[in-house]
PDB file of all heavy atoms in Angstrom:
ATOM      1  N   LEU A   1     101.425  79.296  78.947  1.00  0.00           N
ATOM      2  CA  LEU A   1     101.270  78.767  77.578  1.00  0.00           C
ATOM      3  C   LEU A   1     100.782  77.329  77.562  1.00  0.00           C
ATOM      4  O   LEU A   1      99.953  76.942  76.731  1.00  0.00           O
ATOM      5  CB  LEU A   1     102.631  78.925  76.866  1.00  0.00           C
ATOM      6  CG  LEU A   1     102.576  78.624  75.314  1.00  0.00           C
ATOM      7  CD1 LEU A   1     101.585  79.550  74.621  1.00  0.00           C
ATOM      8  CD2 LEU A   1     104.007  78.899  74.777  1.00  0.00           C
ATOM      9  N   SER A   2     101.222  76.548  78.559  1.00  0.00           N
ATOM     10  CA  SER A   2     100.796  75.126  78.578  1.00  0.00           C
ATOM     11  C   SER A   2      99.316  75.087  78.948  1.00  0.00           C
ATOM     12  O   SER A   2      98.644  74.097  78.570  1.00  0.00           O
ATOM     13  CB  SER A   2     101.612  74.397  79.619  1.00  0.00           C
ATOM     14  OG  SER A   2     101.366  74.854  80.914  1.00  0.00           O
ATOM     15  N   MET A   3      98.810  76.101  79.661  1.00  0.00           N
ATOM     16  CA  MET A   3      97.406  76.099  80.059  1.00  0.00           C
ATOM     17  C   MET A   3      96.525  76.721  78.991  1.00  0.00           C
ATOM     18  O   MET A   3      95.363  76.369  78.830  1.00  0.00           O
ATOM     19  CB  MET A   3      97.240  76.882  81.356  1.00  0.00           C
ATOM     20  CG  MET A   3      97.915  76.278  82.557  1.00  0.00           C
ATOM     21  SD  MET A   3      97.674  77.315  83.953  1.00  0.00           S
ATOM     22  CE  MET A   3      95.878  77.447  83.939  1.00  0.00           C
ATOM     23  N   LYS A   4      97.076  77.703  78.261  1.00  0.00           N
ATOM     24  CA  LYS A   4      96.286  78.435  77.288  1.00  0.00           C
ATOM     25  C   LYS A   4      96.974  78.351  75.925  1.00  0.00           C
ATOM     26  O   LYS A   4      97.354  79.395  75.322  1.00  0.00           O
ATOM     27  CB  LYS A   4      96.188  79.919  77.733  1.00  0.00           C
ATOM     28  CG  LYS A   4      95.414  80.134  78.975  1.00  0.00           C
ATOM     29  CD  LYS A   4      93.878  80.001  78.740  1.00  0.00           C
ATOM     30  CE  LYS A   4      93.110  80.303  79.966  1.00  0.00           C
ATOM     31  NZ  LYS A   4      91.641  80.186  79.753  1.00  0.00           N
ATOM     32  N   PRO A   5      97.165  77.202  75.373  1.00  0.00           N
ATOM     33  CA  PRO A   5      97.953  77.037  74.136  1.00  0.00           C
ATOM     34  C   PRO A   5      97.309  77.711  72.931  1.00  0.00           C
ATOM     35  O   PRO A   5      98.001  78.034  71.971  1.00  0.00           O
ATOM     36  CB  PRO A   5      98.001  75.526  73.922  1.00  0.00           C
ATOM     37  CG  PRO A   5      96.815  74.984  74.652  1.00  0.00           C
ATOM     38  CD  PRO A   5      96.623  75.886  75.853  1.00  0.00           C
ATOM     39  N   GLN A   6      96.006  77.996  72.984  1.00  0.00           N
ATOM     40  CA  GLN A   6      95.367  78.629  71.838  1.00  0.00           C
ATOM     41  C   GLN A   6      94.935  80.096  72.090  1.00  0.00           C
ATOM     42  O   GLN A   6      94.435  80.754  71.192  1.00  0.00           O
ATOM     43  CB  GLN A   6      94.115  77.819  71.424  1.00  0.00           C
ATOM     44  CG  GLN A   6      94.399  76.408  71.063  1.00  0.00           C
ATOM     45  CD  GLN A   6      95.361  76.253  69.888  1.00  0.00           C
ATOM     46  OE1 GLN A   6      95.198  76.981  68.901  1.00  0.00           O
ATOM     47  NE2 GLN A   6      96.341  75.402  69.991  1.00  0.00           N
ATOM     48  N   SER A   7      95.173  80.529  73.283  1.00  0.00           N
ATOM     49  CA  SER A   7      94.614  81.880  73.624  1.00  0.00           C
ATOM     50  C   SER A   7      95.609  82.743  74.420  1.00  0.00           C
ATOM     51  O   SER A   7      95.208  83.574  75.216  1.00  0.00           O
ATOM     52  CB  SER A   7      93.321  81.734  74.427  1.00  0.00           C
ATOM     53  OG  SER A   7      93.511  80.974  75.601  1.00  0.00           O
ATOM     54  N   LEU A   8      96.920  82.543  74.160  1.00  0.00           N
ATOM     55  CA  LEU A   8      97.898  83.365  74.857  1.00  0.00           C
ATOM     56  C   LEU A   8      98.581  84.300  73.851  1.00  0.00           C
ATOM     57  O   LEU A   8      99.021  83.901  72.761  1.00  0.00           O
ATOM     58  CB  LEU A   8      98.966  82.495  75.522  1.00  0.00           C
ATOM     59  CG  LEU A   8      99.981  83.266  76.376  1.00  0.00           C
ATOM     60  CD1 LEU A   8     100.237  82.598  77.722  1.00  0.00           C
ATOM     61  CD2 LEU A   8     101.324  83.427  75.639  1.00  0.00           C
ATOM     62  N   ILE A   9      98.688  85.560  74.289  1.00  0.00           N
ATOM     63  CA  ILE A   9      99.343  86.600  73.474  1.00  0.00           C
ATOM     64  C   ILE A   9     100.606  86.984  74.224  1.00  0.00           C
ATOM     65  O   ILE A   9     100.535  87.425  75.404  1.00  0.00           O
ATOM     66  CB  ILE A   9      98.422  87.808  73.318  1.00  0.00           C
ATOM     67  CG1 ILE A   9      97.105  87.431  72.653  1.00  0.00           C
ATOM     68  CG2 ILE A   9      99.124  88.915  72.555  1.00  0.00           C
ATOM     69  CD1 ILE A   9      95.999  88.291  72.976  1.00  0.00           C
ATOM     70  N   HIS A  10     101.755  86.871  73.602  1.00  0.00           N
ATOM     71  CA  HIS A  10     103.017  87.233  74.225  1.00  0.00           C
ATOM     72  C   HIS A  10     103.420  88.619  73.716  1.00  0.00           C
ATOM     73  O   HIS A  10     103.465  88.851  72.508  1.00  0.00           O
ATOM     74  CB  HIS A  10     104.110  86.240  73.911  1.00  0.00           C
ATOM     75  CG  HIS A  10     105.487  86.707  74.303  1.00  0.00           C
ATOM     76  ND1 HIS A  10     106.573  86.634  73.497  1.00  0.00           N
ATOM     77  CD2 HIS A  10     105.931  87.272  75.493  1.00  0.00           C
ATOM     78  CE1 HIS A  10     107.639  87.122  74.092  1.00  0.00           C
ATOM     79  NE2 HIS A  10     107.264  87.526  75.328  1.00  0.00           N
ATOM     80  N   VAL A  11     103.666  89.513  74.642  1.00  0.00           N
ATOM     81  CA  VAL A  11     104.083  90.901  74.320  1.00  0.00           C
ATOM     82  C   VAL A  11     105.472  91.134  74.864  1.00  0.00           C
ATOM     83  O   VAL A  11     105.691  91.087  76.078  1.00  0.00           O
ATOM     84  CB  VAL A  11     103.132  91.966  74.891  1.00  0.00           C
ATOM     85  CG1 VAL A  11     103.607  93.347  74.518  1.00  0.00           C
ATOM     86  CG2 VAL A  11     101.734  91.718  74.344  1.00  0.00           C
ATOM     87  N   ALA A  12     106.437  91.360  73.967  1.00  0.00           N
ATOM     88  CA  ALA A  12     107.835  91.681  74.365  1.00  0.00           C
ATOM     89  C   ALA A  12     107.938  93.189  74.595  1.00  0.00           C
ATOM     90  O   ALA A  12     107.958  94.008  73.677  1.00  0.00           O
ATOM     91  CB  ALA A  12     108.810  91.246  73.292  1.00  0.00           C
ATOM     92  N   LEU A  13     108.058  93.583  75.888  1.00  0.00           N
ATOM     93  CA  LEU A  13     108.082  94.997  76.202  1.00  0.00           C
ATOM     94  C   LEU A  13     109.489  95.577  75.996  1.00  0.00           C
ATOM     95  O   LEU A  13     109.602  96.773  75.890  1.00  0.00           O
ATOM     96  CB  LEU A  13     107.678  95.183  77.690  1.00  0.00           C
ATOM     97  CG  LEU A  13     106.235  95.229  78.029  1.00  0.00           C
ATOM     98  CD1 LEU A  13     106.023  95.461  79.516  1.00  0.00           C
ATOM     99  CD2 LEU A  13     105.472  96.323  77.248  1.00  0.00           C
ATOM    100  N   GLY A  14     110.515  94.784  76.080  1.00  0.00           N
ATOM    101  CA  GLY A  14     111.851  95.278  75.916  1.00  0.00           C
ATOM    102  C   GLY A  14     112.392  94.915  74.551  1.00  0.00           C
ATOM    103  O   GLY A  14     111.793  95.260  73.533  1.00  0.00           O
ATOM    104  N   GLY A  15     113.499  94.178  74.542  1.00  0.00           N
ATOM    105  CA  GLY A  15     114.053  93.722  73.240  1.00  0.00           C
ATOM    106  C   GLY A  15     113.098  92.712  72.581  1.00  0.00           C
ATOM    107  O   GLY A  15     112.488  91.893  73.266  1.00  0.00           O
ATOM    108  N   PRO A  16     113.031  92.791  71.243  1.00  0.00           N
ATOM    109  CA  PRO A  16     112.122  91.874  70.536  1.00  0.00           C
ATOM    110  C   PRO A  16     112.631  90.430  70.556  1.00  0.00           C
ATOM    111  O   PRO A  16     111.954  89.531  70.095  1.00  0.00           O
ATOM    112  CB  PRO A  16     112.111  92.452  69.154  1.00  0.00           C
ATOM    113  CG  PRO A  16     113.417  93.106  68.994  1.00  0.00           C
ATOM    114  CD  PRO A  16     113.711  93.717  70.352  1.00  0.00           C
ATOM    115  N   TYR A  17     113.836  90.232  71.027  1.00  0.00           N
ATOM    116  CA  TYR A  17     114.451  88.901  71.008  1.00  0.00           C
ATOM    117  C   TYR A  17     113.629  87.905  71.869  1.00  0.00           C
ATOM    118  O   TYR A  17     113.723  86.701  71.693  1.00  0.00           O
ATOM    119  CB  TYR A  17     115.885  88.954  71.487  1.00  0.00           C
ATOM    120  CG  TYR A  17     116.746  89.915  70.694  1.00  0.00           C
ATOM    121  CD1 TYR A  17     117.103  91.180  71.194  1.00  0.00           C
ATOM    122  CD2 TYR A  17     117.095  89.648  69.354  1.00  0.00           C
ATOM    123  CE1 TYR A  17     117.802  92.073  70.462  1.00  0.00           C
ATOM    124  CE2 TYR A  17     117.889  90.515  68.656  1.00  0.00           C
ATOM    125  CZ  TYR A  17     118.192  91.728  69.184  1.00  0.00           C
ATOM    126  OH  TYR A  17     118.937  92.636  68.415  1.00  0.00           O
ATOM    127  N   ASP A  18     112.883  88.449  72.827  1.00  0.00           N
ATOM    128  CA  ASP A  18     111.997  87.558  73.619  1.00  0.00           C
ATOM    129  C   ASP A  18     111.019  86.759  72.767  1.00  0.00           C
ATOM    130  O   ASP A  18     110.604  85.682  73.143  1.00  0.00           O
ATOM    131  CB  ASP A  18     111.236  88.380  74.658  1.00  0.00           C
ATOM    132  CG  ASP A  18     112.043  88.726  75.909  1.00  0.00           C
ATOM    133  OD1 ASP A  18     113.280  88.476  75.859  1.00  0.00           O
ATOM    134  OD2 ASP A  18     111.512  89.291  76.848  1.00  0.00           O
ATOM    135  N   LEU A  19     110.643  87.291  71.599  1.00  0.00           N
ATOM    136  CA  LEU A  19     109.687  86.618  70.742  1.00  0.00           C
ATOM    137  C   LEU A  19     110.232  85.262  70.283  1.00  0.00           C
ATOM    138  O   LEU A  19     109.426  84.356  70.086  1.00  0.00           O
ATOM    139  CB  LEU A  19     109.403  87.452  69.549  1.00  0.00           C
ATOM    140  CG  LEU A  19     108.651  88.783  69.776  1.00  0.00           C
ATOM    141  CD1 LEU A  19     108.505  89.594  68.498  1.00  0.00           C
ATOM    142  CD2 LEU A  19     107.314  88.565  70.419  1.00  0.00           C
ATOM    143  N   ALA A  20     111.535  85.144  70.207  1.00  0.00           N
ATOM    144  CA  ALA A  20     112.099  83.864  69.712  1.00  0.00           C
ATOM    145  C   ALA A  20     112.050  82.837  70.814  1.00  0.00           C
ATOM    146  O   ALA A  20     112.187  81.640  70.520  1.00  0.00           O
ATOM    147  CB  ALA A  20     113.554  84.093  69.309  1.00  0.00           C
ATOM    148  N   LEU A  21     111.810  83.213  72.097  1.00  0.00           N
ATOM    149  CA  LEU A  21     111.768  82.268  73.184  1.00  0.00           C
ATOM    150  C   LEU A  21     110.487  81.455  73.210  1.00  0.00           C
ATOM    151  O   LEU A  21     110.482  80.343  73.744  1.00  0.00           O
ATOM    152  CB  LEU A  21     111.942  82.985  74.534  1.00  0.00           C
ATOM    153  CG  LEU A  21     113.251  83.759  74.712  1.00  0.00           C
ATOM    154  CD1 LEU A  21     113.147  84.538  76.048  1.00  0.00           C
ATOM    155  CD2 LEU A  21     114.433  82.882  74.702  1.00  0.00           C
ATOM    156  N   PHE A  22     109.467  82.015  72.633  1.00  0.00           N
ATOM    157  CA  PHE A  22     108.147  81.376  72.709  1.00  0.00           C
ATOM    158  C   PHE A  22     107.498  81.234  71.320  1.00  0.00           C
ATOM    159  O   PHE A  22     106.425  81.844  71.069  1.00  0.00           O
ATOM    160  CB  PHE A  22     107.239  82.172  73.682  1.00  0.00           C
ATOM    161  CG  PHE A  22     107.903  82.572  74.961  1.00  0.00           C
ATOM    162  CD1 PHE A  22     108.275  83.888  75.220  1.00  0.00           C
ATOM    163  CD2 PHE A  22     108.214  81.585  75.921  1.00  0.00           C
ATOM    164  CE1 PHE A  22     108.931  84.252  76.312  1.00  0.00           C
ATOM    165  CE2 PHE A  22     108.886  81.988  77.081  1.00  0.00           C
ATOM    166  CZ  PHE A  22     109.229  83.302  77.302  1.00  0.00           C
ATOM    167  N   PRO A  23     108.121  80.544  70.431  1.00  0.00           N
ATOM    168  CA  PRO A  23     107.593  80.434  69.031  1.00  0.00           C
ATOM    169  C   PRO A  23     106.213  79.800  68.964  1.00  0.00           C
ATOM    170  O   PRO A  23     105.487  80.004  68.040  1.00  0.00           O
ATOM    171  CB  PRO A  23     108.634  79.634  68.332  1.00  0.00           C
ATOM    172  CG  PRO A  23     109.310  78.816  69.384  1.00  0.00           C
ATOM    173  CD  PRO A  23     109.337  79.684  70.585  1.00  0.00           C
ATOM    174  N   GLN A  24     105.873  78.989  70.029  1.00  0.00           N
ATOM    175  CA  GLN A  24     104.600  78.291  69.993  1.00  0.00           C
ATOM    176  C   GLN A  24     103.447  79.185  70.487  1.00  0.00           C
ATOM    177  O   GLN A  24     102.291  78.786  70.422  1.00  0.00           O
ATOM    178  CB  GLN A  24     104.644  77.056  70.858  1.00  0.00           C
ATOM    179  CG  GLN A  24     104.800  77.238  72.363  1.00  0.00           C
ATOM    180  CD  GLN A  24     106.222  77.456  72.799  1.00  0.00           C
ATOM    181  OE1 GLN A  24     107.055  78.105  72.094  1.00  0.00           O
ATOM    182  NE2 GLN A  24     106.601  76.896  73.972  1.00  0.00           N
ATOM    183  N   ALA A  25     103.749  80.384  70.969  1.00  0.00           N
ATOM    184  CA  ALA A  25     102.657  81.298  71.376  1.00  0.00           C
ATOM    185  C   ALA A  25     101.810  81.661  70.207  1.00  0.00           C
ATOM    186  O   ALA A  25     102.322  81.982  69.156  1.00  0.00           O
ATOM    187  CB  ALA A  25     103.287  82.589  71.997  1.00  0.00           C
ATOM    188  N   PRO A  26     100.502  81.586  70.330  1.00  0.00           N
ATOM    189  CA  PRO A  26      99.615  81.843  69.188  1.00  0.00           C
ATOM    190  C   PRO A  26      99.828  83.261  68.583  1.00  0.00           C
ATOM    191  O   PRO A  26      99.653  83.436  67.391  1.00  0.00           O
ATOM    192  CB  PRO A  26      98.216  81.704  69.798  1.00  0.00           C
ATOM    193  CG  PRO A  26      98.373  80.835  70.977  1.00  0.00           C
ATOM    194  CD  PRO A  26      99.740  81.145  71.521  1.00  0.00           C
ATOM    195  N   ALA A  27     100.121  84.242  69.426  1.00  0.00           N
ATOM    196  CA  ALA A  27     100.370  85.553  68.965  1.00  0.00           C
ATOM    197  C   ALA A  27     101.601  86.201  69.593  1.00  0.00           C
ATOM    198  O   ALA A  27     101.839  85.948  70.834  1.00  0.00           O
ATOM    199  CB  ALA A  27      99.098  86.445  69.216  1.00  0.00           C
ATOM    200  N   GLY A  28     102.321  87.029  68.881  1.00  0.00           N
ATOM    201  CA  GLY A  28     103.481  87.676  69.415  1.00  0.00           C
ATOM    202  C   GLY A  28     103.560  89.126  68.976  1.00  0.00           C
ATOM    203  O   GLY A  28     103.384  89.406  67.837  1.00  0.00           O
ATOM    204  N   VAL A  29     103.811  90.015  69.935  1.00  0.00           N
ATOM    205  CA  VAL A  29     103.851  91.454  69.636  1.00  0.00           C
ATOM    206  C   VAL A  29     105.113  92.063  70.263  1.00  0.00           C
ATOM    207  O   VAL A  29     105.524  91.636  71.344  1.00  0.00           O
ATOM    208  CB  VAL A  29     102.623  92.113  70.253  1.00  0.00           C
ATOM    209  CG1 VAL A  29     102.667  93.661  70.028  1.00  0.00           C
ATOM    210  CG2 VAL A  29     101.341  91.573  69.688  1.00  0.00           C
ATOM    211  N   ALA A  30     105.716  93.021  69.559  1.00  0.00           N
ATOM    212  CA  ALA A  30     106.904  93.722  70.105  1.00  0.00           C
ATOM    213  C   ALA A  30     106.631  95.189  70.205  1.00  0.00           C
ATOM    214  O   ALA A  30     106.065  95.799  69.282  1.00  0.00           O
ATOM    215  CB  ALA A  30     108.115  93.466  69.226  1.00  0.00           C
ATOM    216  N   THR A  31     107.092  95.824  71.285  1.00  0.00           N
ATOM    217  CA  THR A  31     106.933  97.289  71.497  1.00  0.00           C
ATOM    218  C   THR A  31     108.247  97.995  71.494  1.00  0.00           C
ATOM    219  O   THR A  31     108.274  99.272  71.397  1.00  0.00           O
ATOM    220  CB  THR A  31     106.240  97.541  72.860  1.00  0.00           C
ATOM    221  OG1 THR A  31     107.086  97.177  73.923  1.00  0.00           O
ATOM    222  CG2 THR A  31     104.921  96.836  72.943  1.00  0.00           C
ATOM    223  N   TYR A  32     109.373  97.338  71.713  1.00  0.00           N
ATOM    224  CA  TYR A  32     110.716  97.908  71.710  1.00  0.00           C
ATOM    225  C   TYR A  32     110.866  98.960  72.855  1.00  0.00           C
ATOM    226  O   TYR A  32     111.557  99.973  72.704  1.00  0.00           O
ATOM    227  CB  TYR A  32     111.027  98.594  70.405  1.00  0.00           C
ATOM    228  CG  TYR A  32     110.704  97.751  69.192  1.00  0.00           C
ATOM    229  CD1 TYR A  32     109.510  97.919  68.493  1.00  0.00           C
ATOM    230  CD2 TYR A  32     111.546  96.714  68.818  1.00  0.00           C
ATOM    231  CE1 TYR A  32     109.166  97.134  67.403  1.00  0.00           C
ATOM    232  CE2 TYR A  32     111.201  95.920  67.727  1.00  0.00           C
ATOM    233  CZ  TYR A  32     110.062  96.087  67.049  1.00  0.00           C
ATOM    234  OH  TYR A  32     109.690  95.342  65.947  1.00  0.00           O
ATOM    235  N   GLY A  33     110.265  98.673  74.016  1.00  0.00           N
ATOM    236  CA  GLY A  33     110.395  99.547  75.162  1.00  0.00           C
ATOM    237  C   GLY A  33     109.068  99.852  75.760  1.00  0.00           C
ATOM    238  O   GLY A  33     108.033  99.553  75.204  1.00  0.00           O
ATOM    239  N   ASP A  34     109.104 100.434  76.952  1.00  0.00           N
ATOM    240  CA  ASP A  34     107.862 100.685  77.715  1.00  0.00           C
ATOM    241  C   ASP A  34     107.693 102.165  78.143  1.00  0.00           C
ATOM    242  O   ASP A  34     107.162 102.459  79.170  1.00  0.00           O
ATOM    243  CB  ASP A  34     107.796  99.780  78.936  1.00  0.00           C
ATOM    244  CG  ASP A  34     108.937 100.020  79.963  1.00  0.00           C
ATOM    245  OD1 ASP A  34     109.859 100.818  79.621  1.00  0.00           O
ATOM    246  OD2 ASP A  34     108.920  99.429  81.007  1.00  0.00           O
ATOM    247  N   VAL A  35     108.234 103.035  77.296  1.00  0.00           N
ATOM    248  CA  VAL A  35     107.991 104.471  77.600  1.00  0.00           C
ATOM    249  C   VAL A  35     106.519 104.725  77.364  1.00  0.00           C
ATOM    250  O   VAL A  35     105.802 103.975  76.694  1.00  0.00           O
ATOM    251  CB  VAL A  35     108.812 105.410  76.695  1.00  0.00           C
ATOM    252  CG1 VAL A  35     110.321 105.204  76.922  1.00  0.00           C
ATOM    253  CG2 VAL A  35     108.484 105.173  75.186  1.00  0.00           C
ATOM    254  N   PRO A  36     105.982 105.789  78.015  1.00  0.00           N
ATOM    255  CA  PRO A  36     104.486 106.025  77.967  1.00  0.00           C
ATOM    256  C   PRO A  36     103.911 105.974  76.579  1.00  0.00           C
ATOM    257  O   PRO A  36     102.798 105.432  76.380  1.00  0.00           O
ATOM    258  CB  PRO A  36     104.359 107.363  78.688  1.00  0.00           C
ATOM    259  CG  PRO A  36     105.427 107.361  79.684  1.00  0.00           C
ATOM    260  CD  PRO A  36     106.617 106.687  78.980  1.00  0.00           C
ATOM    261  N   VAL A  37     104.552 106.638  75.603  1.00  0.00           N
ATOM    262  CA  VAL A  37     103.908 106.639  74.248  1.00  0.00           C
ATOM    263  C   VAL A  37     103.864 105.238  73.649  1.00  0.00           C
ATOM    264  O   VAL A  37     102.951 104.942  72.924  1.00  0.00           O
ATOM    265  CB  VAL A  37     104.615 107.627  73.295  1.00  0.00           C
ATOM    266  CG1 VAL A  37     104.346 109.067  73.706  1.00  0.00           C
ATOM    267  CG2 VAL A  37     106.125 107.346  73.210  1.00  0.00           C
ATOM    268  N   SER A  38     104.841 104.382  73.940  1.00  0.00           N
ATOM    269  CA  SER A  38     104.821 103.032  73.454  1.00  0.00           C
ATOM    270  C   SER A  38     103.711 102.236  74.072  1.00  0.00           C
ATOM    271  O   SER A  38     103.024 101.441  73.370  1.00  0.00           O
ATOM    272  CB  SER A  38     106.162 102.330  73.692  1.00  0.00           C
ATOM    273  OG  SER A  38     107.188 102.927  72.954  1.00  0.00           O
ATOM    274  N   LEU A  39     103.443 102.441  75.352  1.00  0.00           N
ATOM    275  CA  LEU A  39     102.326 101.742  75.987  1.00  0.00           C
ATOM    276  C   LEU A  39     100.984 102.295  75.493  1.00  0.00           C
ATOM    277  O   LEU A  39     100.008 101.527  75.410  1.00  0.00           O
ATOM    278  CB  LEU A  39     102.460 101.853  77.508  1.00  0.00           C
ATOM    279  CG  LEU A  39     103.699 101.123  78.109  1.00  0.00           C
ATOM    280  CD1 LEU A  39     103.680 101.300  79.613  1.00  0.00           C
ATOM    281  CD2 LEU A  39     103.665  99.660  77.774  1.00  0.00           C
ATOM    282  N   GLU A  40     100.945 103.606  75.278  1.00  0.00           N
ATOM    283  CA  GLU A  40      99.675 104.151  74.732  1.00  0.00           C
ATOM    284  C   GLU A  40      99.377 103.580  73.351  1.00  0.00           C
ATOM    285  O   GLU A  40      98.244 103.188  73.035  1.00  0.00           O
ATOM    286  CB  GLU A  40      99.773 105.686  74.650  1.00  0.00           C
ATOM    287  CG  GLU A  40      98.463 106.340  74.208  1.00  0.00           C
ATOM    288  CD  GLU A  40      98.588 107.840  74.217  1.00  0.00           C
ATOM    289  OE1 GLU A  40      99.507 108.383  74.830  1.00  0.00           O
ATOM    290  OE2 GLU A  40      97.718 108.502  73.567  1.00  0.00           O
ATOM    291  N   ALA A  41     100.475 103.464  72.545  1.00  0.00           N
ATOM    292  CA  ALA A  41     100.325 102.880  71.199  1.00  0.00           C
ATOM    293  C   ALA A  41      99.905 101.424  71.286  1.00  0.00           C
ATOM    294  O   ALA A  41      99.069 100.947  70.492  1.00  0.00           O
ATOM    295  CB  ALA A  41     101.602 103.048  70.439  1.00  0.00           C
ATOM    296  N   LEU A  42     100.486 100.676  72.240  1.00  0.00           N
ATOM    297  CA  LEU A  42     100.184  99.271  72.390  1.00  0.00           C
ATOM    298  C   LEU A  42      98.734  99.135  72.789  1.00  0.00           C
ATOM    299  O   LEU A  42      98.020  98.233  72.239  1.00  0.00           O
ATOM    300  CB  LEU A  42     101.058  98.652  73.500  1.00  0.00           C
ATOM    301  CG  LEU A  42     100.742  97.215  73.881  1.00  0.00           C
ATOM    302  CD1 LEU A  42     100.946  96.288  72.698  1.00  0.00           C
ATOM    303  CD2 LEU A  42     101.587  96.763  75.120  1.00  0.00           C
ATOM    304  N   SER A  43      98.219  99.954  73.676  1.00  0.00           N
ATOM    305  CA  SER A  43      96.800  99.943  74.058  1.00  0.00           C
ATOM    306  C   SER A  43      95.898 100.087  72.873  1.00  0.00           C
ATOM    307  O   SER A  43      94.931  99.338  72.728  1.00  0.00           O
ATOM    308  CB  SER A  43      96.498 101.027  75.096  1.00  0.00           C
ATOM    309  OG  SER A  43      97.349 100.930  76.232  1.00  0.00           O
ATOM    310  N   LYS A  44      96.217 101.033  72.026  1.00  0.00           N
ATOM    311  CA  LYS A  44      95.397 101.265  70.806  1.00  0.00           C
ATOM    312  C   LYS A  44      95.476 100.069  69.858  1.00  0.00           C
ATOM    313  O   LYS A  44      94.480  99.689  69.266  1.00  0.00           O
ATOM    314  CB  LYS A  44      95.893 102.512  70.071  1.00  0.00           C
ATOM    315  CG  LYS A  44      95.601 103.808  70.919  1.00  0.00           C
ATOM    316  CD  LYS A  44      96.027 105.023  70.155  1.00  0.00           C
ATOM    317  CE  LYS A  44      95.726 106.335  70.885  1.00  0.00           C
ATOM    318  NZ  LYS A  44      96.119 107.507  70.167  1.00  0.00           N
ATOM    319  N   ALA A  45      96.691  99.476  69.763  1.00  0.00           N
ATOM    320  CA  ALA A  45      96.833  98.327  68.857  1.00  0.00           C
ATOM    321  C   ALA A  45      96.030  97.128  69.371  1.00  0.00           C
ATOM    322  O   ALA A  45      95.361  96.448  68.571  1.00  0.00           O
ATOM    323  CB  ALA A  45      98.298  98.023  68.725  1.00  0.00           C
ATOM    324  N   LEU A  46      96.123  96.855  70.678  1.00  0.00           N
ATOM    325  CA  LEU A  46      95.377  95.722  71.221  1.00  0.00           C
ATOM    326  C   LEU A  46      93.901  95.894  71.127  1.00  0.00           C
ATOM    327  O   LEU A  46      93.114  94.934  70.973  1.00  0.00           O
ATOM    328  CB  LEU A  46      95.760  95.521  72.668  1.00  0.00           C
ATOM    329  CG  LEU A  46      97.243  95.128  72.981  1.00  0.00           C
ATOM    330  CD1 LEU A  46      97.438  94.998  74.447  1.00  0.00           C
ATOM    331  CD2 LEU A  46      97.568  93.789  72.259  1.00  0.00           C
ATOM    332  N   ALA A  47      93.433  97.156  71.131  1.00  0.00           N
ATOM    333  CA  ALA A  47      92.015  97.440  71.041  1.00  0.00           C
ATOM    334  C   ALA A  47      91.557  97.492  69.612  1.00  0.00           C
ATOM    335  O   ALA A  47      90.309  97.572  69.387  1.00  0.00           O
ATOM    336  CB  ALA A  47      91.721  98.749  71.716  1.00  0.00           C
TER     337      ALA A  47
END
């Protein structure tokens, strides 16, 4: 984040509470787990 302060996307793969750790991240996304359908959905969302 210190290197890419304007171009870092933080994705919380487990609990969404990780999002609170990096409030300065330009973008934050939560998936609530990493089962295959969640990762497939994340791929579509990022695209």
Side-chain angles (χ1 to χ4, degrees):
L1 189 56
S2 68
M3 297 179 54
K4 296 284 184 178
Q6 301 301 316
S7 57
L8 185 136
I9 302 153
H10 170 227
V11 179
L13 278 181
Y17 305 104
D18 280 9
L19 294 176
L21 299 175
F22 314 107
Q24 69 276 38
V29 177
T31 67
Y32 313 100
D34 62 354
V35 297
V37 288
S38 292
L39 293 181
E40 184 177 345
L42 174 64
S43 301
K44 293 181 177 182
L46 295 178

